[in-house]
Amino acid sequence: MLTDVEKMEVVTTESIYPHRYITHEPLEKIDWTLSDDTLTISGLLCNRATGELYGKQWSVWYSEEIPSSAGPWKLCGLPGLIVKAEDAEGIHCFTLYETKNEVRDINRKNNPNYQKLTRKKLMAFKKKIFGNPRYVKEPNYYVPKNADNVAETNVNGTTYYIGLNSHMLILQKSHVYQPLELK
């Protein structure tokens, strides 16, 4: 995922074997409610804020010591870097563990092999694949059984299916799909 601040756009790439997808969407403005609560995270003094994005309520901690309105995933728009974020259900949690001051170019090449989709279509597709009850017990259920470009391998006791042409992994054992976006 790449946030293009100049274009006010989020570009997301997703790999769902055997395809790769790309979406371009406007950067969503989150209506944050600021709190007086404070907490120190990774040595940074942080303030708390709450807000809703794509149907999920988020509680975040941001630090004005790092003057950036960025944050993990698509969370942004506060007067400091978001260093911790948790959804209200306690399913998803992002936490900053370390910072580095580094200057380097971001090289993102347009790949013609990526299929362009809207965010809503990609979300519907992910729900169809990952939300299917079969996915938990058989995560490769949607891959044709006669696919000659899939190999099975075992790494440290975990079985993976490997898409040989696309360099994508499919876990043999998966878990219940918990989407970050409900809307």
Side-chain angles (χ1 to χ4, degrees):
M1 189 180 82
L2 176 72
T3 302
D4 188 331
V5 179
E6 289 178 6
K7 291 183 181 177
M8 297 299 289
E9 170 181 81
V10 176
V11 179
T12 305
T13 57
E14 295 267 352
S15 297
I16 303 172
Y17 185 81
H19 303 290
R20 290 188 168 110
Y21 301 96
I22 188 167
T23 64
H24 293 259
E25 62 183 283
L27 189 60
E28 282 291 315
K29 182 177 181 336
I30 302 168
D31 186 19
W32 292 109
T33 301
L34 305 183
S35 166
D36 291 333
D37 296 343
T38 61
L39 182 68
T40 300
I41 300 172
S42 296
L44 300 167
L45 179 62
C46 300
N47 294 87
R48 185 171 179 262
T50 56
E52 184 266 333
L53 181 62
Y54 297 129
K56 279 199 170 276
Q57 292 295 320
W58 291 92
S59 176
V60 303
W61 295 91
Y62 65 96
S63 176
E64 294 182 32
E65 292 178 35
I66 302 177
S68 170
S69 63
W73 180 54
K74 298 176 183 179
L75 300 170
C76 62
L78 287 164
L81 182 70
I82 298 172
V83 298
K84 184 170 184 174
E86 295 178 289
D87 70 343
E89 294 84 20
I91 297 170
H92 302 285
C93 180
F94 301 98
T95 305
L96 172 78
Y97 289 102
E98 180 182 37
T99 61
K100 285 184 180 179
N101 190 3
E102 183 176 76
V103 177
R104 64 182 173 144
D105 291 335
I106 298 173
N107 295 320
R108 187 183 69 82
K109 298 176 182 172
N110 289 328
N111 188 326
N113 296 327
Y114 281 72
Q115 295 179 32
K116 290 183 180 181
L117 287 180
T118 64
R119 183 186 70 80
K120 288 206 181 232
K121 283 186 180 179
L122 180 60
M123 294 306 304
F125 183 65
K126 287 170 68 174
K127 184 177 180 181
K128 178 182 171 185
I129 298 293
F130 303 136
N132 187 310
R134 287 180 67 188
Y135 180 72
V136 176
K137 293 183 180 178
E138 188 187 354
N140 66 330
Y141 79 92
Y142 65 94
V143 178
K145 297 294 181 205
N146 60 353
D148 60 357
N149 60 346
V150 177
E152 189 174 306
T153 189
N154 191 303
V155 179
N156 297 327
T158 301
T159 303
Y160 298 91
Y161 290 103
I162 301 174
L164 299 177
N165 293 338
S166 60
H167 309 290
M168 291 185 218
L169 295 176
I170 304 170
L171 284 173
Q172 173 58 29
K173 291 184 180 177
S174 193
H175 51 78
V176 175
Y177 178 52
Q178 300 287 348
L180 282 165
E181 302 174 34
L182 300 179
K183 294 182 186 176

